Amino acid sequence: MSMRLFGAFCAAFSLSLTPLLAQEQQVNYHLSFPNAVHHEAQISVQFTGIKSDTLQVLMPRSSPGRYALHEFAKNVYSVKASDSKGQPLRISRTSPHQWAVSGHQGEVTVSYTLFGDHADGTYTGIDESHAHLNMPATLMYAPSFEQAPAQVTFRIPQGSNWKVATQLEPLNDSTFRAPNFQYLMDSPTELSDFAFAEWAVEDRGKKKMIQIALHHQGTPAQFDAYVAQTKKIVAEQQAIFGQLPDFDFGRYTFIGCYGPQAVGDGMEHRNSTIVSSSRTLATTMAGLLGTVSHEFFHAWNVERLRPASLEPFDFQKANMSDALWLAEGFTTYYGDLTMHRSGVNDLKRYTSGLSGSLNYVLLSPGRHYHSLVEMSMQAPFVDAARSVDPHNRHNTFISYYTYGSVLGLGLDLTLRRDFNTTLDRYMQALWQKYGQPEKPYTLADLQQTLAEVTKDTAWAADFFRRQVYGSELPDYAALLAEAGLQLRKETPGKAGMGMANLEFSKQGAKLLNGTYVTSPLYKAGLDRGDIILTLNGKKVSSEKELDKILNRLKPAHTVPITYQRQGKTKTASIVLEEIPTLEVVPFEDAGKELTPAMQQFRQSWLGTMAR
């Protein structure tokens, strides 16, 4: 899920091109796990070639791919510093995430204990079975050493059979190298007794290695099936762009952790992804592969084709971008589309996903508050951000992942219908102009490229004005009909109170979240925490009872509703509405004629890519 911004990254691989100061400086990390059972790592970092009287050492506050602050320093303790002879140095904490070391002779070793018990794409999870390390959540750094190369040595616990999976450059089985700080922070690492597979892919005369390192509790047969499906995903996405990226060190690694200690997530990186889930290959193979598909598409879209609004990534601040609707949203669209094109998912599963996405975007009131660009800029508040106070985001926000995906759907179908081109070709054009040369783009660049692909500058400007800088959406029913798919009401004529998250008990139905401004419940004055006691004079004690009451009523009926708020019983009138939920159904399943033209349109879109 986001940005890996390295500036002139590629030049850093040649030490001969590194500034003289960086040649003289070295950073060496050592990590060991003597108390893994209690989620601790012992970490030391040696800085050689210090040029100032006082060395400033920081813990990151944010992580590439996330946009909020996470304050990783909260899990660091027992911080000490020593000089080149092992003698203690004075170290003082100058802020919650920063330490100052003085009295050195040009070399400092800082040691600390790290606690990590959250194995996902953002944090670190350590136990006796593995060490799952996101580097910003794991490693301290010195800003004055950001251009210096870094070596990382992992000390494997005795008898653990742990191996190391990482995009870092291997020097031997336990020591790895990063050319600079940005690459180091972008290099998640899994230490465990993982299953491993790799294969070579021919790409423009080059052989590129794809690897899978999966820490899981499944069977070898399940792992083999996972690998086989991942190969299809890789091949299909290679076809979309016409090439693979030039992976550093010639390899790309899928790093996976599926088990009860993991938290569901996926995070893209320059030459790898880290995916995690508490679910297993046996129960949710397709869902886990969906995350694999999304994250691999990021190897192009975000890792190399990246917005200028996130350049450079700041590890001490929240990072905001106006382009996440494309960076994450279009990636979501193609992640799902790849799953169908590669044959991992069938048409029923794909249209079911479209139904969910369209319901969320079309029925949410958020578009009345913010444009798509503004939704992207909300990321620091919503992307794994944490807060304790209630918010009104269910009314004011629509995820740029889904909103951007639905925009991608509409744009793809419009390009196919009206311009005899495709979103594939648009992404290829962006890749060639900005991704392959790693030139950060602006929104104006995106608009100009769309004008070039459509050969219609006025239309591209109008599209961006209405649908990107604005909140308009196309007629999805008409667009989907081109492919013989019907967008229709799922339960026409059925009455409802609007979208609501209810918890039922003998007392009634408690509203667990705030009500939607467009819903009958909101208009009747009900809000979070209220307990619905009766509807139309009938007691609401279960979901079944509520359905029974509503089945006797019709949309537009006005009925009494009683509810309890802060211990007091209140009465109001509620005007019921037709349940607005939509579904996408193939014409052939809806009893409608699927014409040859529709079949051809559908095949071009969902089948073999129209190149």
Side-chain angles (χ1 to χ4, degrees):
M1 327 185 223
S2 292
M3 302 303 140
R4 303 293 177 281
L5 307 162
F6 301 102
F9 166 82
C10 294
F13 279 99
S14 172
L15 288 181
S16 64
L17 298 180
T18 323
L20 179 61
L21 180 63
Q23 287 187 2
E24 296 173 347
Q25 292 182 312
Q26 282 284 336
V27 185
N28 288 279
Y29 293 89
H30 287 79
L31 290 82
S32 61
F33 309 92
N35 196 25
V37 68
H38 292 299
H39 317 294
E40 286 185 341
Q42 298 299 322
I43 301 173
S44 68
V45 51
Q46 179 189 59
F47 300 97
T48 304
I50 303 168
K51 303 300 180 181
S52 59
D53 292 337
T54 301
L55 177 69
Q56 302 294 334
V57 182
L58 288 80
M59 197 68 187
R61 304 180 70 201
S62 58
S63 180
R66 294 294 186 206
Y67 308 99
L69 291 176
H70 297 285
E71 305 295 7
F72 297 120
K74 64 183 177 293
N75 286 324
V76 168
Y77 43 91
S78 300
V79 181
K80 300 180 178 65
S82 59
D83 63 16
S84 60
K85 298 178 181 179
Q87 296 301 308
L89 291 172
R90 183 174 180 272
I91 183 168
S92 59
R93 194 166 193 163
T94 56
S95 80
H97 50 273
Q98 185 168 356
W99 293 259
V101 185
S102 57
H104 58 80
Q105 299 294 317
E107 180 178 311
V108 167
T109 297
V110 177
S111 62
Y112 56 97
T113 301
L114 175 79
F115 180 85
D117 190 20
H118 194 86
D120 71 350
T122 306
Y123 297 94
T124 282
I126 302 164
D127 59 40
E128 65 270 32
S129 73
H130 75 151
H132 178 100
L133 310 174
N134 182 42
M135 292 310 180
T138 304
L139 301 181
M140 288 185 175
Y141 71 99
S144 59
F145 280 72
E146 287 193 5
Q147 296 305 315
Q151 287 190 12
V152 185
T153 299
F154 302 101
R155 302 191 184 282
I156 305 300
Q158 285 188 338
S160 66
N161 295 322
W162 286 6
K163 305 179 288 289
V164 181
T166 182
Q167 70 175 27
L168 293 167
E169 180 184 15
L171 301 181
N172 54 50
D173 288 344
S174 60
T175 300
F176 299 79
R177 177 182 175 276
N180 55 30
F181 166 73
Q182 286 277 352
Y183 193 89
L184 176 66
M185 289 292 106
D186 190 53
S187 302
T189 301
E190 169 76 19
L191 286 74
S192 63
D193 187 17
F194 51 75
F196 183 78
E198 65 177 351
W199 66 95
V201 177
E202 292 294 330
D203 183 56
R204 296 167 295 146
K206 299 178 183 178
K207 182 178 290 187
K208 299 176 180 179
M209 299 303 297
I210 308 295
Q211 302 177 332
I212 297 179
L214 189 63
H215 178 219
H216 72 120
Q217 297 179 344
T219 66
Q222 290 165 354
F223 177 68
D224 290 345
Y226 180 88
V227 171
Q229 300 288 52
T230 300
K231 287 182 178 180
K232 296 179 184 178
I233 291 167
V234 169
E236 188 58 48
Q237 293 190 1
Q238 180 184 10
I240 290 170
F241 284 98
Q243 64 182 88
L244 290 171
D246 286 328
F247 302 123
D248 306 312
F249 317 121
R251 60 181 166 86
Y252 182 94
T253 307
F254 292 95
I255 304 171
C257 180
Y258 301 146
Q261 75 276 56
V263 179
D265 201 2
M267 190 59 63
E268 71 280 1
H269 298 274
R270 184 174 172 86
N271 303 298
S272 66
T273 182
I274 195 155
V275 292
S276 57
S277 178
S278 60
R279 300 180 178 182
T280 66
L281 294 178
T283 59
T284 48
M285 176 79 78
L288 298 175
L289 287 167
T291 304
V292 165
S293 180
H294 177 101
E295 300 306 330
F296 188 60
F297 198 84
H298 274 314
W300 294 269
N301 189 28
V302 162
E303 290 302 329
R304 291 161 177 86
L305 175 61
R306 59 185 182 262
S309 51
L310 281 173
E311 175 106 358
F313 191 90
D314 192 328
F315 287 84
Q316 292 300 316
K317 295 180 180 178
N319 289 262
M320 184 178 75
S321 173
D322 54 7
L324 297 187
W325 56 270
L326 185 135
E328 292 292 357
F330 279 27
T331 297
T332 300
Y333 174 68
Y334 272 105
D336 295 339
L337 188 59
T338 297
M339 292 287 284
H340 184 272
R341 285 181 176 175
S342 62
V344 179
N345 285 344
D346 59 16
L347 181 61
K348 181 177 181 181
R349 188 177 182 97
Y350 183 67
T351 56
S352 176
L354 288 182
S355 300
S357 297
L358 288 166
N359 274 308
Y360 173 46
V361 175
L362 295 177
L363 303 183
S364 295
R367 289 188 297 120
H368 301 299
Y369 294 87
H370 298 303
S371 69
L372 182 54
V373 167
E374 178 64 24
M375 295 300 181
S376 294
M377 296 168 71
Q378 294 288 311
F381 303 125
V382 300
D383 188 53
R386 298 172 185 268
S387 60
V388 297
D389 58 319
H391 53 74
N392 198 30
R393 205 158 288 125
H394 58 283
N395 278 318
T396 62
F397 177 72
I398 301 174
S399 170
Y400 43 85
Y401 284 87
T402 315
Y403 197 166
S405 174
V406 165
L407 181 79
L409 168 69
L411 180 57
D412 197 0
L413 297 179
T414 300
L415 293 175
R416 292 172 183 274
R417 183 188 67 182
D418 298 342
F419 294 97
N420 193 32
T421 189
T422 68
L423 194 65
D424 298 337
R425 294 194 180 114
Y426 179 54
M427 296 305 295
Q428 291 167 11
L430 290 174
W431 171 252
Q432 290 159 11
K433 289 179 66 176
Y434 303 104
Q436 199 165 25
E438 300 201 40
K439 176 185 175 182
Y441 63 77
T442 65
L443 295 190
D445 294 328
L446 298 180
Q447 180 178 319
Q448 174 61 31
T449 306
L450 185 61
E452 293 167 3
V453 170
T454 59
K455 299 179 175 60
D456 193 330
T457 300
W459 182 86
D462 187 64
F463 171 81
F464 266 76
R465 180 179 63 83
R466 292 175 182 271
Q467 299 191 39
V468 176
Y469 298 110
S471 300
E472 295 185 29
L473 287 172
D475 183 347
Y476 284 101
L479 288 172
L480 289 166
E482 296 286 330
L485 300 175
Q486 184 181 14
L487 180 64
R488 67 186 188 185
K489 290 281 183 69
E490 187 176 24
T491 53
K494 185 172 181 179
M497 300 186 297
M499 294 184 291
N501 187 9
L502 300 172
E503 180 182 69
F504 293 91
S505 68
K506 291 182 179 179
Q507 185 181 11
K510 184 176 182 178
L511 285 161
L512 298 180
N513 303 101
T515 49
Y516 290 84
V517 296
T518 51
S519 74
L521 285 167
Y522 185 98
K523 295 169 185 176
L526 278 75
D527 205 348
R528 180 179 63 88
D530 291 345
I531 301 172
I532 301 172
L533 305 174
T534 67
L535 179 66
N536 199 30
K538 307 292 184 182
K539 186 168 182 174
V540 179
S541 57
S542 68
E543 186 174 4
K544 184 178 180 180
E545 283 299 316
L546 178 58
D547 284 341
K548 191 182 297 185
I549 297 167
L550 290 171
N551 285 337
R552 298 192 189 104
L553 300 170
K554 297 293 183 184
H557 277 179
T558 301
V559 297
I561 185 170
T562 63
Y563 59 98
Q564 186 180 92
R565 174 178 294 168
Q566 299 174 3
K568 297 180 179 180
T569 299
K570 295 177 174 286
T571 301
S573 295
I574 184 170
V575 181
L576 303 177
E577 68 173 8
E578 182 182 40
I579 295 177
T581 309
L582 304 167
E583 63 179 355
V584 177
V585 182
F587 271 27
E588 57 269 36
D589 294 340
K592 301 184 71 174
E593 180 187 3
L594 180 67
T595 67
M598 292 174 183
Q599 287 179 313
Q600 184 178 0
F601 190 102
R602 187 191 294 179
Q603 178 63 24
S604 174
W605 169 40
L606 299 180
T608 303
M609 188 192 71
R611 291 184 174 84

